[in-house]
Amino acid sequence: FECDSEFMKLLMRRNDIDLAVAALEIARDAYPALDFDETFDWIDDRAEELAGPVARAKTDAEVLKQLQNCLAMSHQINGSREAYCQADGSFLHRVIEKKQGIPIALSLLYMTVADRLGSELAGVAAPMHFITRYESVDGPLFLDPFSAGRVMTFVETADWLQQLTNVSSGCIIDALEPAKPRAII
């Protein structure tokens, strides 16, 4: 793992991990010639594309809607049940190329683009479905990249997850906290 600096940080239980780099380090196991720069160039291009619309957004929810419009609508990157059956559904660079992925990989993509914009999305390992969390001035908002970037309030998210999982509301509420980098990877 000498050339996998972010993965090494995970092994040392550090929290200052660049999740996108760590994800690409894992993908490099399947794709030894993987050029990280191509993925990061694509992400930087999306951040540049979003800079104006995000700057003009009047609310935190509008910021997330702009992110959703860019990635899910304009670039048609969405969740796919078929992606669960293929390793490529987990690899960040292949999610971008194939325009489909599993919830955690899609969330990581949204988190990385948001980070480039100066907005922080946190990963949430909710029961049966990985999503992202944005700390707005009015309380947390959640974005589900697997479902075309659907934006939900805390109550909407808790209700949806309770219906999806049949888990008690208390457990759902506890599970809506941000996940640590080690858990995400």
Side-chain angles (χ1 to χ4, degrees):
F1 303 115
E2 289 177 12
C3 63
D4 294 339
S5 61
E6 297 307 304
F7 192 72
M8 289 299 295
K9 288 179 187 177
L10 281 170
L11 293 176
M12 294 184 290
R13 299 192 181 277
R14 290 175 47 183
N15 284 322
D16 61 330
I17 296 156
D18 184 322
L19 290 172
V21 172
L24 290 170
E25 289 172 354
I26 292 169
R28 186 171 45 208
D29 290 344
Y31 294 91
L34 177 60
D35 180 2
F36 291 19
D37 289 338
E38 290 177 17
T39 301
F40 287 125
D41 288 346
W42 189 92
I43 289 166
D44 290 341
D45 289 347
R46 298 302 68 79
E48 187 176 314
E49 183 179 327
L50 280 162
V54 165
R56 291 187 292 277
K58 291 181 173 62
T59 66
D60 291 328
E62 283 182 40
V63 168
L64 295 181
K65 288 285 187 190
Q66 291 301 327
L67 187 60
Q68 171 201 38
N69 286 338
C70 178
L71 297 179
M73 304 307 169
S74 296
H75 295 280
Q76 300 179 338
I77 297 175
N78 288 291
S80 164
R81 295 281 172 219
E82 294 81 37
Y84 282 99
C85 301
Q86 307 162 0
D88 282 352
S90 299
F91 299 143
L92 193 58
H93 72 293
R94 295 295 289 157
V95 168
I96 292 168
E97 291 169 15
K98 295 180 86 169
K99 299 188 179 293
Q100 63 180 11
I102 64 172
I104 196 163
L106 293 164
S107 293
L108 180 57
L109 179 60
Y110 273 71
M111 291 161 56
T112 305
V113 172
D115 183 62
R116 295 292 199 281
L117 288 164
S119 297
E120 185 178 341
L121 277 178
V124 175
M128 293 181 61
H129 200 81
F130 200 92
I131 55 178
T132 64
R133 177 180 173 135
Y134 181 85
E135 298 300 332
S136 81
V137 294
D138 297 322
L141 294 171
F142 295 85
L143 187 145
D144 177 12
F146 189 81
S147 301
R150 174 177 53 163
V151 177
M152 300 171 283
T153 65
F154 188 89
V155 171
E156 291 168 334
T157 305
D159 288 346
W160 166 66
L161 286 170
Q162 191 170 18
Q163 290 172 9
L164 178 70
T165 64
N166 240 1
V167 172
S168 73
S169 60
C171 289
I172 295 289
I173 289 169
D174 291 342
L176 292 177
E177 293 299 317
K180 298 210 181 293
R182 186 175 174 89
I184 293 171
I185 292 298

